[in-house]
Amino acid sequence: MRPPLPSTAYLAGPMRGYLEFNFPAFRNAAQTLRKRGLHVVSPHERDEDEGFDWTGTEGSDDDLKRAGFDIARTLASDIDLIAAPLCEGVVCLPGWDRSRGAQAEVVFARAIDKPVLFYEEASRSNGYRHSLYGTSGVEEWEDGERRG
């Protein structure tokens, strides 16, 4: 049985402590999920729209301080996005459970009864296998794309 796919979902995942704040993983997941017809709201795009460029950074708290990035304001904004009526759920990237911010987003989504789904990607010889799973089942698909 396939999980009910929200038409619009917020993309949650780890950022701090990952090179370039994990933007490559956010970009890839957002693109892949959009190809499946899901409208994705991703924090990496909001950061880019606000002029933050994390290219070449270590993803550290020092990187955030140098850029004048306000974690509290950003997390509050993320929570507002999840609470918005258009957002029908949250999709989590691998490692979300080791991220304090993503954990807060998931707890909030569950508190307001929005579904939380989990995204995984595995490399295969003929491309990638993608999985999106939740409490009601798993959806899997493959693509022939090869990435770097």
Side-chain angles (χ1 to χ4, degrees), residues 102-119:
Q103 287 176 23
E105 293 161 352
V106 167
V107 166
F108 180 75
R110 287 179 172 155
I112 61 171
D113 294 323
K114 293 201 178 184
V116 176
L117 303 171
F118 304 92
Y119 174 81

Side-chain angles (χ1 to χ4, degrees), residues 8-11 39-47 49-50 73-90 105 108-109 112 114:
T8 301
Y10 177 85
L11 190 58
H39 178 76
V40 177
V41 177
S42 181
H44 89 276
E45 292 167 337
R46 188 245 354 264
D47 289 356
D49 289 347
E50 292 181 3
R73 183 190 65 77
T74 300
L75 185 56
S77 174
D78 294 344
I79 295 298
D80 285 344
L81 289 171
I82 294 166
L86 279 176
C87 181
E88 297 175 349
V90 172
E105 293 161 352
F108 180 75
I112 61 171
K114 293 201 178 184

Side-chain angles (χ1 to χ4, degrees), residues 49-147:
D49 289 347
E50 292 181 3
F52 292 102
D53 180 5
W54 304 117
T55 304
T57 64
E58 296 177 9
S60 69
D61 287 334
D62 287 341
D63 291 326
L64 295 173
K65 287 177 190 171
R66 276 191 293 277
F69 192 85
D70 185 338
I71 292 281
R73 183 190 65 77
T74 300
L75 185 56
S77 174
D78 294 344
I79 295 298
D80 285 344
L81 289 171
I82 294 166
L86 279 176
C87 181
E88 297 175 349
V90 172
V91 173
C92 298
L93 293 178
W96 74 271
D97 55 332
R98 294 183 303 279
S99 164
R100 292 184 310 240
Q103 287 176 23
E105 293 161 352
V106 167
V107 166
F108 180 75
R110 287 179 172 155
I112 61 171
D113 294 323
K114 293 201 178 184
V116 176
L117 303 171
F118 304 92
Y119 174 81
E120 289 184 353
E121 178 181 274
S123 178
R124 298 170 60 98
S125 62
N126 62 342
Y128 283 83
R129 178 171 207 65
H130 308 276
S131 300
L132 190 60
Y133 60 96
T135 56
S136 62
V138 177
E139 177 178 348
E140 294 183 323
W141 68 96
E142 295 185 17
D143 66 42
E145 293 182 19
R146 298 297 302 161
R147 287 186 284 281

